[in-house]
Amino acid sequence: MREKNPRDNVLVPIEKQVWPLSENDYWSTPFAKMLLHHLELFSGASVLDIASGHGTPAFHIAEQVGPNGQVLGLDLHPGQVLRCKTAQGPHLPWLSFAQADMRALPQDLGPFDRITGNIAFMFFRPNRFEALKQLTGFLKPGGQIVLTFPALGTFDSIWQRVDREMAARGLEKEQATLAEYIAERPSANEVRQWLTDLKMDRVEVDLWPLEIESGPGRAFLEHPLLRGGFLDDAYECFDNQTLANEVMDAVADDLKSFTPLLAQRCAFSAWRPEK
Ligand SMILES: C[S@@+](CC[C@H](N)C(=O)[O-])C[C@H]1O[C@@H](n2cnc3c(N)ncnc32)[C@H](O)[C@@H]1O
């Protein structure tokens, strides 16, 4: 049987949506838009949304699949699950949230028509291939998986500037640690190879750049996105945090030399073969 196509169904038009993607989220929403661009939804679909966080895009997808569908959002952190349940209240009763580790899901889960995960794939470590393999096992035959993540290349201009600052100060050990951190990030090519190795159908891997705005100095060092994850890797290269602060202060004061700050949004889509 041919997989249902979104064009076969009238989903909820934008002007009638109660649960659209937030227009104020400069990070999750641009990734989720890319995810939805690849996702072929239909009303009545069963969907597993991993790393559901604060519910992007689980709420939006639940509205789209409607009451004949089923959406399960899973997140490792109970606080995120609680936050989603609170936001949901009595709405969209075919949507549920639960706590689970997406790398080790219970075998009796699903199977699902669709698996989604926005800004999720980097958390598949340490064995990303195995985690991806397990996850695709929860798809129905003919089902689609679409995941997004910031790929290798994200904010490279920052890492190059930090590397130059380290080199100028003779910090070879810190330079080597930084290079290790960067190389550990998943790349679009790696993902394409893994999906091919898993013999998935219609593999698509896309990279779209996303510019993040920041001022210099403290604005850069305390930027909610950069400090909340990315810059930590640079600080962690140092045993001596006073030295780390000196290096990062010098980098932050030189923002103009490494702008624009570009993230590489990666989305991949693949289909489990019918047989
Ligand atoms: C960057 S947030 C993305 C959340 C949401 N999908 C969004 O687009 O805003 C990543 C989420 O992954 C969750 N997470 C990290 N490791 C996980 C794991 N092993 N299993 C399930 N969730 C995980 C975190 O708790 C966090 O809520």
Side-chain angles (χ1 to χ4, degrees), residues 28 49-54 56-57 74-77 80 100-103 118-119 122-123:
S28 291
D49 184 55
I50 54 159
S52 48
H54 54 260
T56 302
L74 295 179
D75 200 279
L76 187 60
H77 294 292
Q80 297 283 50
D101 186 334
M102 61 194 173
R103 296 163 300 183
N118 195 42
I119 321 184
M122 62 284 195
F123 298 114

Side-chain angles (χ1 to χ4, degrees), residues 159-235:
W159 316 127
Q160 284 157 9
R161 181 63 187 83
V162 174
D163 178 73
R164 283 205 305 279
E165 193 64 31
M166 288 171 167
R169 294 166 186 251
L171 302 172
E172 284 174 20
K173 184 168 134 309
E174 288 78 359
Q175 267 184 294
T177 311
L178 181 67
E180 266 173 43
Y181 274 135
I182 305 301
E184 200 271 332
R185 295 185 180 160
S187 74
N189 283 339
E190 228 168 17
V191 164
R192 189 188 302 279
Q193 186 58 51
W194 290 339
L195 293 167
T196 309
D197 291 348
L198 289 171
K199 302 197 173 8
M200 298 291 282
D201 280 346
R202 295 164 59 190
V203 172
E204 283 177 36
V205 183
D206 253 0
L207 273 178
W208 294 0
L210 174 69
E211 185 173 347
I212 297 295
E213 303 280 346
S214 171
R218 306 287 348 141
F220 172 76
L221 294 174
E222 290 163 14
H223 189 290
L225 171 68
L226 300 174
R227 189 61 226 240
F230 292 96
L231 292 186
D232 291 353
D233 282 356
Y235 284 91

Side-chain angles (χ1 to χ4, degrees), residues 14 17-34 36 52-61 63-64 83 87 118-119 210 265:
I14 193 147
Q17 288 172 15
V18 179
W19 301 91
L21 299 176
S22 164
E23 283 306 325
N24 303 322
D25 191 326
Y26 60 86
W27 186 243
S28 291
T29 294
F31 279 85
K33 282 186 175 163
M34 202 173 171
L36 294 173
S52 48
H54 54 260
T56 302
F59 284 108
H60 176 77
I61 288 176
E63 181 172 50
Q64 292 294 323
R83 200 170 147 196
N118 195 42
I119 321 184
L210 174 69
R265 271 181 292 173

